[in-house]
Amino acid sequence: MVAPVAVAVAATTALATPSSLTCALVPSWQGLRGSLGPARSLQWPKKQQRQCRRKAGGTSVTAQFELKPPPYPLDALEPHMSKETLEYHWGKHHRGYVDNLNKLTAGTELDELSLEDIILATYNKGDLLPPFNHAAQIWNHDFFWESMKPGGGGKPSGELLELINRDFGSFERFVEELRSAAATQFGSGWAWLAYKANRLDVGNAVNPKPSDEDKRLVVVKSPNAVNPLIWDYSPLLTIDVWEHAYYLDFQNRRADYISIFLEKLVSWEAVSSRLEIAKARAAEREEEEERKKREEEEKTSDGEVEEIYVDKKSDDSETE
Ligand SMILES: [Fe+2]
């Protein structure tokens, strides 16, 4: 459903008034019916279009997603990440992904799916469907803004630090691995810390670490809009290494941007919270798999009893 518009502008500066922002993000349903070219190639049947709760100038508007603001004012990360960078990165690039996804999904079955489900459906085993890049980039940027905070950086603590020490040897080694992943991602992309607790055969993508044990932390990098959701990993932290993330502040010095991100911006509190959620998700899955296994065993066991009973009957009739 469409979130209240006030949320979309709560932490912003004067990039747009609430009403103009809304209108920019939610093109009219009627106007889009004739321009659904790429989305029409998707093979999902249409469902009833949801109506927006708001009206703009008396005309009903529809939208699936709105531009979610960073959880801090656009100048809050200065001097490490400038307000100007946020104005372009969030206000232009992130906004563009939202606009494009809404155009591509309006009137298709996709507009009733969650962002995560759209990402998985349109990844399409690597043969990307048109909405994938826009959907994944919205998710990635929401996640990226929440991976930072004013006064961030430093070192994690508690269980997160324990797992980092266990899985990377030390915090310093982990930082080097993440730094290296971010620096060596050729062209545009992302570097991630993720909790790997998935089935080895994810069915949708080539698992980048199929031989690694589950229930551990991993560092991975991904090109363009790809994110660890398609490998069924639980992302915990990301660094955006598209040039638009750092060029205004650091020009071509990606390494300096990565250092500042890790030393001054990263929110280890956010990462710790995500770790809790990832572990809970993994435990829930494990319980579900155990439950299914027990049910299968019970079914098999019931079948065996039935077979013995039938055989006995058959023996009796032969005797008669
Ligand atoms: Fe970006």
Side-chain angles (χ1 to χ4, degrees):
M1 282 303 287
V2 177
V5 174
V7 173
V9 295
T12 70
T13 54
L15 281 172
T17 63
S19 60
S20 65
L21 177 64
T22 307
C23 292
L25 290 172
V26 286
S28 77
W29 161 238
Q30 288 81 2
L32 284 173
R33 275 197 178 278
S35 59
L36 294 174
R40 283 187 189 283
S41 63
L42 304 175
Q43 296 303 306
W44 292 285
K46 286 183 180 181
K47 287 186 178 175
Q48 187 178 6
Q49 174 69 22
R50 291 176 299 173
Q51 292 298 310
C52 181
R53 289 174 295 180
R54 284 179 56 85
K55 290 190 172 186
T59 306
S60 291
V61 291
T62 61
Q64 196 176 10
F65 299 103
E66 287 191 351
L67 179 64
K68 188 177 169 187
Y72 35 75
L74 299 189
D75 60 357
L77 302 181
E78 290 190 335
H80 312 298
M81 186 177 284
S82 68
K83 179 183 174 188
E84 190 183 16
T85 285
L86 268 289
E87 285 175 343
Y88 277 95
H89 195 178
W90 173 78
K92 304 284 186 190
H93 293 280
H94 191 168
R95 182 190 305 271
Y97 301 127
V98 174
D99 287 347
N100 286 326
L101 183 66
N102 284 331
K103 287 176 187 169
L104 289 171
T105 58
T108 75
E109 192 179 51
L110 291 177
D111 71 5
E112 295 188 2
L113 298 184
S114 68
L115 197 54
E116 289 83 356
D117 285 341
I118 292 177
I119 290 167
L120 295 179
T122 59
Y123 183 72
N124 194 32
K125 298 184 178 180
D127 186 12
L128 306 182
L129 298 176
F132 175 81
N133 284 330
H134 307 289
Q137 284 292 78
I138 295 170
W139 195 96
N140 296 350
H141 283 90
D142 285 342
F143 196 81
F144 176 61
W145 308 133
E146 291 167 6
S147 294
M148 299 184 286
K149 68 169 191 176
K155 203 169 171 178
S157 58
E159 187 176 11
L160 176 59
L161 183 58
E162 285 171 22
L163 289 189
I164 285 174
N165 286 333
R166 183 195 73 182
D167 295 337
F168 297 97
S170 68
F171 177 69
E172 288 69 28
R173 283 192 195 169
F174 154 70
V175 166
E176 278 317 301
E177 194 168 329
L178 183 61
R179 192 193 298 274
S180 170
T184 60
Q185 169 55 42
F186 184 74
S188 299
W190 302 79
W192 306 85
L193 171 67
Y195 186 67
K196 180 179 182 293
N198 64 321
R199 298 172 296 276
L200 290 181
D201 178 11
V202 294
N204 192 35
V206 176
N207 190 331
K209 292 180 178 282
S211 60
D212 279 16
E213 288 176 13
D214 276 349
K215 295 183 185 173
R216 59 158 292 172
L217 301 177
V218 291
V219 164
V220 283
K221 57 185 176 181
S222 62
N224 302 317
V226 170
N227 68 38
L229 296 180
I230 61 147
W231 306 313
D232 201 24
Y233 292 7
S234 295
L236 304 179
L237 171 67
T238 193
I239 308 177
D240 185 345
V241 293
W242 285 59
E243 280 191 347
H244 66 218
Y246 59 87
Y247 211 84
L248 288 175
D249 293 330
F250 297 92
Q251 291 75 55
N252 63 338
R253 293 175 283 117
R254 185 192 283 190
D256 291 349
Y257 156 70
I258 295 166
S259 293
I260 289 293
F261 176 92
L262 290 167
E263 291 164 16
K264 305 290 184 184
L265 295 172
V266 60
S267 169
W268 292 118
E269 290 79 6
V271 180
S272 288
S273 299
R274 291 163 175 169
L275 176 62
E276 287 306 308
I277 294 168
K279 285 174 57 195
R281 175 176 175 254
E284 202 174 291
R285 279 184 165 190
E286 214 165 50
E287 278 175 25
E288 179 65 14
E289 280 167 15
E290 281 298 316
R291 189 184 62 74
K292 281 183 184 167
K293 200 173 156 190
R294 279 198 305 276
E295 280 179 3
E296 284 300 317
E297 283 171 358
E298 282 168 15
K299 270 186 198 169
T300 308
S301 171
D302 288 349
E304 284 170 1
V305 170
E306 182 67 18
E307 200 173 320
I308 291 166
Y309 175 73
V310 171
D311 285 351
K312 186 174 186 304
K313 237 182 133 183
S314 167
D315 288 349
D316 289 345
S317 62
E318 276 177 20
T319 307
E320 283 172 9

Coordinates of all heavy atoms in Angstrom, one line a residue, residues 89 141 190 240 242 244-245, ligand 1:
H89 N 22.2 11.9 -4.9 CA 22.1 10.4 -4.8 C 20.7 9.9 -4.4 O 20.1 9.1 -5.0 CB 23.2 10.0 -3.7 CG 23.5 8.5 -3.8 ND1 24.4 7.9 -3.0 CD2 23.0 7.5 -4.5 CE1 24.5 6.7 -3.2 NE2 23.6 6.4 -4.1
H141 N 19.3 1.0 -2.0 CA 19.5 2.4 -1.4 C 18.8 2.6 -0.1 O 19.4 3.2 0.8 CB 19.1 3.4 -2.4 CG 20.1 3.6 -3.5 ND1 20.0 2.9 -4.7 CD2 21.2 4.4 -3.6 CE1 21.1 3.2 -5.5 NE2 21.8 4.1 -4.8
W190 N 28.1 -3.1 -5.5 CA 27.9 -3.0 -4.1 C 28.8 -4.0 -3.4 O 29.1 -5.1 -4.0 CB 26.4 -3.4 -3.7 CG 25.4 -2.4 -4.4 CD1 25.0 -2.5 -5.7 CD2 24.8 -1.3 -3.8 NE1 24.1 -1.5 -5.9 CE2 23.9 -0.8 -4.8 CE3 24.8 -0.7 -2.5 CZ2 23.1 0.4 -4.6 CZ3 24.0 0.4 -2.3 CH2 23.2 0.9 -3.3
D240 N 27.7 1.3 -1.1 CA 27.3 1.6 -2.5 C 28.6 2.1 -3.2 O 29.2 3.1 -2.8 CB 26.3 2.7 -2.5 CG 25.8 3.1 -3.9 OD1 26.4 2.7 -4.9 OD2 24.8 3.8 -4.0
W242 N 28.8 2.6 -6.6 CA 28.5 3.3 -7.9 C 29.2 4.7 -7.7 O 29.2 5.3 -6.7 CB 27.0 3.6 -8.0 CG 26.2 2.4 -8.4 CD1 26.1 1.2 -7.8 CD2 25.4 2.3 -9.6 NE1 25.3 0.3 -8.5 CE2 24.8 1.0 -9.6 CE3 25.0 3.1 -10.7 CZ2 23.9 0.5 -10.6 CZ3 24.2 2.7 -11.6 CH2 23.6 1.4 -11.6
H244 N 28.1 7.5 -8.5 CA 27.2 8.6 -8.0 C 27.2 8.7 -6.5 O 26.8 9.7 -5.9 CB 25.8 8.4 -8.6 CG 25.1 7.2 -8.1 ND1 24.2 6.5 -8.9 CD2 25.0 6.6 -6.9 CE1 23.7 5.5 -8.2 NE2 24.1 5.6 -7.0
A245 N 27.7 7.6 -5.8 CA 27.7 7.6 -4.3 C 28.9 8.5 -3.8 O 28.8 9.0 -2.7 CB 27.9 6.2 -3.8
Ligands
FE1 FE 23.6 4.7 -5.4

